Amino acid sequence: MKCRKCGVKAVMNMRQHKLALCKDHYLEWMVAQTQRFIEKYHMFTPQERILAAVSGGKDSLSLWDILWRSEYNCDGIYISLGIDGGVNYSSESQKLAQKFADERGLKLHVVNIKNLYGETVPEINQRTRRGQDKPCSVCGLIKRHEMNRVARDEGYDVLVTGHNLDDEAAVLFGNILTWSTGYLLRQGPVLGADHPGLARKAKPLCRFYEREMAAYAILRGIEYIYDECPFAEGAKSIYYKKILNNMEGDRPGVKLSFYLSFLQARDSGLFASPVDDEAKLLHACPTCGQPTSAPGDCTFCRTIARIPGTRNEPLSDSDVGG
Ligand code: SF4
Ligand code: ZN
């Protein structure tokens, strides 16, 4: 298989695009395509300040690399969850995120949950859920809150995440199985800041397959953490990904068309309904100021208040490491 652009040996064949490319042209194509998606979905402009959520994995570090090469004004945020799982998951992923930032002279905000709130994410989960579940729901709640907080306090215009097409298709599949129209309405490449205290969110990699992201990271020489979070095992999203991968094997391009036709259907109003318009029901949490639909304090503040000795006042600049 030869590169369509220069005729040398291709390293990547994208069957869904009927496109094979050599290393240099592949790396160039990924950067150009990302730029195209940023503009197509009106994600952000070169004048805006961008905060990239990085986990130390291939997707988020590749995203940061692409935005840096495209000369966007983009800093990173790493949230240390305090997850070990026998592989030092949090400390290893933090090291790699920091190394990536240092090598390129980029600014990384590090938020350490244990330092801030006195307990790690698994410990907070033990306390609030009596250790019966995996910490994923508490973890998601805390990550969303901290990313929003730093984006708001530090004046970023937009928060970007490294979700790829496989992630988005799996979430979409799950939401369709339960016809969760509220979630379906809010899923997409960009989510506007529809309430004061919320940052706009964008997913510039949402049209790239996971294998394309892995190829980008490897060909670019980015060091990333190979291990998944130990709590990811058995997650529904992994099961949905397997099903979608089986379909993709038989019908190349099916994941992409599943996602793109969903976006078209959503934009034509298929899921719109007044009861789904949650934004109208939101008010500012009296403690942290972030939007919530819960009466009184938001779920995050109520969760954190259960940790003995937790402060209940707004956080200051010194709570965010540079
Ligand atoms: Fe958090 Fe790990 Fe669960 Fe992901 S898999 S939500 S990182 S605990
Ligand atoms: Zn709150």
Side-chain angles (χ1 to χ4, degrees), residues 55 81 83 89 121-122 134-141 143 228-233 235:
S55 63
L81 307 165
I83 292 174
Y89 177 73
V121 166
K134 290 184 179 200
C136 296
S137 114
V138 164
C139 180
L141 175 76
K143 283 193 289 197
E228 290 258 22
C229 170
F231 294 110
E233 206 187 317

Side-chain angles (χ1 to χ4, degrees), residues 145 285 287-289 298 301:
H145 181 275
C285 164
T287 301
C288 71
C298 71
C301 287

Side-chain angles (χ1 to χ4, degrees), residues 10-308:
V11 295
M12 268 302 274
N13 179 23
M14 289 155 289
R15 290 206 291 165
Q16 76 283 8
H17 297 310
K18 298 190 176 58
L19 179 66
L21 293 170
C22 68
K23 175 182 171 184
D24 288 351
H25 282 118
Y26 179 69
L27 293 173
E28 200 178 83
W29 178 81
M30 290 287 287
V31 175
Q33 286 288 91
T34 309
Q35 180 61 36
R36 194 167 80 77
F37 302 149
I38 291 168
E39 288 168 15
K40 179 178 170 61
Y41 297 112
H42 308 289
M43 292 184 182
F44 43 81
T45 65
Q47 289 72 40
E48 288 186 300
R49 290 187 68 221
I50 304 162
L51 183 63
V54 293
S55 63
K58 65 183 185 317
D59 302 297
S60 55
L61 291 183
S62 295
L63 171 62
W64 203 6
D65 180 84
I66 291 172
L67 297 181
W68 168 66
R69 282 172 198 279
S70 308
E71 299 187 352
Y72 280 103
N73 182 2
C74 182
D75 297 337
I77 175 172
Y78 175 85
I79 300 180
S80 176
L81 307 165
I83 292 174
D84 181 294
V87 291
N88 277 333
Y89 177 73
S90 284
S91 58
E92 285 306 311
S93 54
Q94 182 176 344
K95 261 190 232 157
L96 292 169
Q98 193 64 61
K99 183 167 184 270
F100 177 96
D102 293 345
E103 283 171 357
R104 290 161 182 77
L106 295 170
K107 177 172 176 157
L108 179 68
H109 299 279
V110 176
V111 176
N112 186 306
I113 299 301
K114 183 161 177 113
N115 292 353
L116 265 182
Y117 301 111
E119 292 189 342
T120 63
V121 166
E123 285 165 352
I124 297 172
N125 181 59
Q126 291 274 341
R127 180 179 297 287
T128 54
R129 308 274 156 142
R130 298 196 188 89
Q132 298 206 343
D133 296 317
K134 290 184 179 200
C136 296
S137 114
V138 164
C139 180
L141 175 76
I142 292 174
K143 283 193 289 197
R144 276 193 302 279
H145 181 275
E146 291 301 310
M147 288 189 287
N148 267 321
R149 177 177 70 79
V150 174
R152 177 194 65 190
D153 293 356
E154 305 279 321
Y156 289 98
D157 299 294
V158 60
L159 181 69
V160 297
T161 55
H163 293 95
N164 60 42
L165 176 66
D166 293 49
D167 300 324
E168 291 300 288
V171 169
L172 177 58
F173 194 70
N175 285 338
I176 286 179
L177 285 179
T178 51
W179 286 110
S180 305
T181 51
Y183 288 123
L184 288 166
L185 257 183
R186 294 172 69 77
Q187 192 183 347
V190 65
L191 182 62
D194 50 9
H195 198 277
L198 266 191
R200 186 186 337 139
K201 298 192 177 67
K203 300 171 185 169
L205 308 180
C206 64
R207 289 178 57 160
F208 291 120
Y209 283 72
E210 190 157 326
R211 65 183 279 273
E212 293 169 354
M213 293 319 306
Y216 183 87
I218 291 165
L219 294 171
R220 193 60 95 188
I222 294 171
E223 253 188 278
Y224 63 89
I225 186 149
Y226 291 97
D227 292 305
E228 290 258 22
C229 170
F231 294 110
E233 206 187 317
K236 269 195 214 152
S237 57
I238 294 182
Y239 173 64
Y240 297 151
K241 279 184 182 180
K242 269 191 202 150
I243 295 173
L244 290 162
N245 281 341
N246 283 343
M247 288 165 65
E248 183 78 26
D250 296 334
R251 291 178 49 202
V254 72
K255 270 189 266 192
L256 186 59
S257 69
F258 176 50
Y259 183 62
L260 294 183
S261 16
F262 155 71
L263 292 181
Q264 266 180 4
R266 193 202 58 171
D267 292 348
S268 64
L270 186 64
F271 307 109
S273 141
V275 290
D276 291 324
D277 200 353
E278 282 182 19
K280 291 204 181 96
L281 305 171
L282 298 177
H283 65 90
C285 164
T287 301
C288 71
Q290 291 200 21
T292 176
S293 56
D297 273 3
C298 71
T299 314
F300 172 84
C301 287
R302 281 187 282 126
T303 302
I304 291 300
R306 293 172 71 168
I307 304 171

